[in-house]
Every structure is written in structure tokens, then in C-alpha cells.
Amino acid sequence: MSSENPISDDALREEVRAWLAEHWSPEQAQALEGKQLLWGATGELKNWLGKVVEARWAVPTWPVEWFGRGSSAVQAKIIAREFAAVRAPGAGQDRSSMWANTLLARGTEALKAELLGPILKSEVNMCLLYSEPNAGSDLAGIRTRADRKGDHFVVNGQKVWTSGAANADYGMLIARTDWDVPKHSGISFFFLPMKQPGIEVRPLRQITDESHFNEVFITDAIVPADNLLGDVNTGWKVLQTALAYERSILGDAARGARSGAKESLKEEVLIALAREAGVLENPELRQDIAQAIAYKKLNALNNARVKADLQQGTTSPAMSLGKLAMSRILHEEARVRTAILGAQSLFEGSDHPRAEDANFLTFNAYFTSIGGGTDQIQRNIIGERVLGLPKEPEIDTAIPFRDVRKG
Ligand SMILES: Cc1cc2nc3c(=O)[nH]c(=O)nc-3n(C[C@H](O)[C@H](O)[C@H](O)COP(=O)(O)OP(=O)(O)OC[C@H]3O[C@@H](n4cnc5c(N)ncnc54)[C@H](O)[C@@H]3O)c2cc1C
């Protein structure tokens, strides 16, 4: 089970297959399809995730004391493939959960003991309390404050665009803990309990007619000092760890159409749609479809490169390319779908599912090109960290944050 007691790839494959054969059925696959909510899980799914975590399939590369097996990345992939083959969720969270990975990397032992299990089992819901009305792209400009009072901190401020805040039990919060040092040096990173009187969540309505993000008003909310990740004032570093996980996830996967979310991004879908609409022979559309498919292939190869880097223990700046590429793919996919449908895309409602999907994808493409850092910011990162271009001028990084001009 551990790296001291290695198991061959074949033996591992047999073990996971036997476990799935005993615990999982095609009926469950059908019953749980679509039950994975964007910001939480249903009761049946939680039940299943609990079994996966206890059997140590959820995060096999993690240490044995934290639900893992000390497996190699290659063996983790074998496990994830076996789960995917029978459409069983829950494996591969050592790659896909930014909450769990950030907590494992930077949390106190007490916080890990309290929350790692519940996060992996989806027993608690999480949100990201980063953006503020005047600090989105420049996260180092945040003004929400956390002041130490004995064994806890008192938090005051406002966050915005907080996905999933309405259902969240904890938020990964960045707050200013020192106003007399330059802006990157006075930030701390916390797991803030959301269900307490000092936190008011107000939903925002999106262009897709959903309300998955919110404004969060924080007034004298309490966070225990044990819920600090990293040391006081080193939150910027912790944030970089968390953002790297977020970018790699957003670059690797994307949310698709409301109906058949995953299928919407498969390359055959555009071809099938064009065939159904009788326009597959149109040379211009054929070019567009080929281009959209080529982008996806290219992005998949780039993501494979990032994963290979990660497996060798190096973080790859190419992660930013993945997120930027995914944003372009989603816009392109939506554009080509609309072109295939032509005037039909003007319809809406359940009688016109194809048009509904195309329009939803058009609006939803902005999710990836703004959320988790905008395309422009990704380009800056790629320019500076991948291409080695000069940094953009920064006038406020060396002065105490208290003296930075506001507004
Ligand atoms: C669907 C969705 C979900 C989100 N979920 C969350 C969440 O859960 N938690 C959370 O904290 N936040 C969340 N956000 C917020 C998101 O991270 C911010 O919207 C994003 O970082 C941009 O910040 P801003 O909106 O303040 O825009 P601004 O920073 O005001 O930027 C405005 C425009 O200026 C450009 N710009 C700014 N600075 C530069 C620069 N230096 N160089 C070039 N261009 C620049 C930007 O790219 C953008 O086009 C979410 C956003 C979306 C769309």
C-alpha cells in the first residue's frame, strides 16, 4: 500500500477492478450521473465518495496518514482510468481538488485532521474569498482585513464574485494582516468558517440566468488562528499554490452546455451537429470545425506536458497556456455551433435544445476567460514567466500598503 511496500501496476489494476466490481454497479453510474453539483454534492454521491476515500482511491499519491497510498503518479493514473472506465466518480482528487491540495500543502496539522477527510468526501462545501470590488486582477490590492485577537482573528471587509458562497461551509480567504509593509508582504490566507453571524451572502444574477456567484459582506467574523495556512503575512505564497491548482483545473476541463455538459466538448459533437443540420459539406464550416478540433487536440497535448512536469516535481508555467487556450476553445466552440445552426440559434426554450446549448455556451465562455484570472492577465503571465519579456511597470510594490493611493 505504501511506497515502502510497492505493488506492481498489474496487481494494482486488479485490486482496483476487484474493488469496483464489489462496490460499484452500472445502475449506480446511471443514478449518480449529473449529481455532481458544481459547488457541492448530493447525499448519494457523498455516501459513495466516503467509500472511495476510506478505500484510499481518492488521493493515491498522498501519504498514507492522509488518505493516500504513497503511490506514484503513474499508478494514480491507472486507478483514475479504472474509475473512469466504469463512470465512477471520486478518484483523482490529488489532481483535481484545489481545496484539498492547498490544505495538504500549507495547512496546520490540526486543520488537516479536521477538514481533509470532509473535503475529499464532499461533506463540506468550499468557496474562494479572493476578489474584491477594487481588487480582482490585482489581488495584492485587497482591503479586507484580519486583526489578531488572542487565539483568533477578526475579519472585516467585502468580497465579490464568490462562486458557491451561498452553500459554502468554509471559504479560502485572503485578508490583509499588515498595512505597514508593501502590498504582497502583508497578506494572510485562512479557511474562514462561513456559517456564522458576521457573514452575509447576497446572490448576483449572471448573463446565463444562473446565480452561482455572490457578494459576501464580512463584519467582525471570527476565524481561529489554527485556520491560518502558512505563516502570518505569507499568504501571497499560499495563494500562488492555490491559483496554480485552479489554473491547471480550468485549463484541463471546462463546463459545457447545460444538457450533456461533458459531451458538449467532445470533438465529434460539432461534426454530428453539422451533419444533423445538413451543412457538413459547407467548406467554410468544415474549416471552422477542423480549427476548433485542432485547438482542442493542441490543448490536450499541452496539458499532458504540464502533467508530466508536475509528475517530475516541477511546476510548469505552461499551465497558464492551458487556461488561456481553454478560454479560446470555449468561445470558438460557441461561435462554430452558432454558425452551424444559423438562424435557428435565434430560438430559445426547451423546444429548441440545440439553440439553447449554443446560446448558453456563448454566454458561459466568459466564465473561463474571466474567472480564475482574465485572459489579459494570463497573457501577462505567459509574457513574463514563459517568454521572459520585461515585467509591466509596478509603482506600488515597494511602498507600505497604507500609503498606496486608493480609487
Ligand atoms: C464565473 C466567475 C466565477 C468567479 N468566481 C470567483 C470566486 O469564486 N472567488 C473569487 O474570489 N473571485 C471569483 N471570480 C472573480 C474573478 O477572479 C475576477 O473577476 C477576475 O480576477 C478579474 O477581476 P475584476 O473582475 O476585478 O476585473 P479587473 O481586475 O477590474 O479587470 C478589468 C479588465 O482590465 C484588465 N486588466 C486588469 N489589470 C490588467 C493588467 N495589469 N494588464 C492587462 N489587463 C489588465 C482585465 O483583464 C479585465 O479585462 C469569478 C469570476 C467569474 C467570471
Side-chain angles (χ1 to χ4, degrees):
M1 184 184 274
S2 76
S3 46
E4 292 104 58
N5 185 13
I7 179 172
S8 75
D9 291 357
D10 285 342
L12 178 72
R13 197 172 288 111
E14 283 316 309
E15 191 185 331
V16 63
R17 271 185 198 169
W19 188 86
L20 283 167
E22 191 182 333
H23 294 92
W24 181 252
S25 65
E27 293 75 47
Q28 265 174 294
Q30 211 157 20
L32 289 187
E33 200 102 286
K35 294 281 165 61
Q36 176 77 63
L37 307 177
L38 199 55
W39 295 92
T42 58
E44 292 160 273
L45 183 57
K46 281 184 201 168
N47 198 10
W48 167 250
L49 292 176
K51 288 186 195 164
V52 177
V53 172
E54 296 306 332
R56 299 175 180 277
W57 301 124
V59 283
T61 57
W62 283 16
V64 176
E65 66 267 34
W66 296 121
F67 309 100
R69 298 177 165 243
S71 300
S72 68
V74 172
Q75 293 204 329
K77 210 166 195 174
I78 291 174
I79 296 166
R81 276 208 193 111
E82 292 304 320
F83 269 69
V86 295
R87 293 189 290 147
Q93 294 194 56
D94 34 9
R95 285 202 317 269
S96 67
S97 170
M98 72 183 134
W99 329 106
N101 281 292
T102 306
L103 179 56
L104 179 76
R106 312 303 287 251
T108 58
E109 296 301 292
L111 196 62
K112 285 196 269 193
E114 186 187 332
L115 284 181
L116 270 179
I119 290 175
L120 295 173
K121 295 173 189 173
S122 275
E123 286 168 0
V124 294
N125 296 327
M126 304 288 303
C127 67
L128 299 173
L129 297 163
Y130 300 160
S131 305
E132 297 186 6
N134 288 308
S137 298
D138 180 20
L139 276 179
I142 53 155
R143 290 179 180 275
T144 291
R145 60 187 305 144
D147 298 297
R148 180 123 197 186
K149 296 265 156 45
D151 61 357
H152 64 267
F153 289 76
V154 179
V155 186
N156 281 284
Q158 188 198 335
K159 297 288 174 178
V160 69
W161 315 128
T162 313
S163 305
N167 297 322
D169 300 293
Y170 290 86
M172 294 212 295
L173 166 81
I174 48 169
R176 191 159 300 280
T177 37
D178 191 341
W179 298 70
D180 295 316
V181 292
K183 61 181 186 176
H184 294 94
S185 310
I187 292 172
S188 299
F189 195 109
F190 301 90
F191 264 44
L192 175 73
M194 292 289 287
K195 307 286 189 215
Q196 56 169 308
I199 296 186
E200 189 197 340
V201 176
R202 292 188 201 156
L204 292 166
R205 188 151 163 229
Q206 290 157 235
I207 196 172
T208 53
D209 205 24
E210 299 165 301
S211 273
H212 91 254
F213 53 46
N214 309 269
E215 293 176 294
V216 180
F217 297 86
I218 309 173
T219 314
D220 289 336
I222 303 294
V223 58
D226 253 346
N227 289 24
L228 181 67
L229 274 72
D231 294 324
V232 177
N233 295 337
T234 65
W236 188 252
K237 273 197 194 146
V238 184
L239 176 68
Q240 296 316 306
T241 306
L243 287 178
Y245 282 117
E246 186 176 355
R247 277 179 203 133
S248 75
I249 294 161
L250 286 172
D252 202 11
R255 193 169 159 227
R258 260 187 276 247
S259 53
K262 280 187 187 149
E263 282 64 31
S264 76
L265 286 169
K266 284 189 185 153
E267 54 208 40
E268 313 83 57
V269 168
L270 286 180
I271 298 173
L273 197 64
R275 185 172 288 127
E276 191 185 293
V279 291
L280 192 56
E281 299 310 317
N282 177 321
E284 247 176 70
L285 283 175
R286 287 173 82 90
Q287 282 288 340
D288 283 351
I289 293 170
Q291 177 131 326
I293 292 174
Y295 282 154
K296 287 181 203 180
K297 288 268 186 231
L298 208 59
N299 194 39
L301 291 173
N302 184 55
N303 285 331
R305 181 177 134 200
V306 168
K307 278 181 195 147
D309 283 349
L310 286 175
Q311 279 163 17
Q312 284 166 13
T314 46
T315 47
S316 175
M319 270 178 192
S320 298
L321 285 175
K323 185 176 177 300
L324 186 59
M326 188 49 87
S327 139
R328 187 160 173 187
I329 287 167
L330 292 176
H331 285 285
E332 189 62 12
E333 159 104 18
R335 190 188 69 73
V336 176
R337 273 180 179 244
T338 309
I340 290 172
L341 294 178
Q344 278 208 46
S345 65
L346 294 172
F347 290 116
E348 61 174 12
S350 52
D351 288 348
H352 305 279
R354 304 279 182 251
E356 279 277 291
D357 280 355
N359 293 326
F360 176 77
L361 282 169
T362 300
F363 293 137
N364 199 57
Y366 293 93
F367 183 117
T368 304
S369 54
I370 302 175
T374 63
D375 288 355
Q376 291 83 353
I377 296 298
Q378 302 310 321
R379 289 198 178 93
N380 284 358
I381 293 172
I382 292 163
E384 291 168 16
R385 297 191 205 156
V386 183
L387 303 176
L389 295 172
K391 279 177 84 69
E392 62 172 326
E394 291 173 314
I395 49 164
D396 58 358
T397 51
I399 52 173
F401 187 73
R402 198 180 284 288
D403 299 334
V404 172
R405 277 184 57 196
K406 303 169 188 69

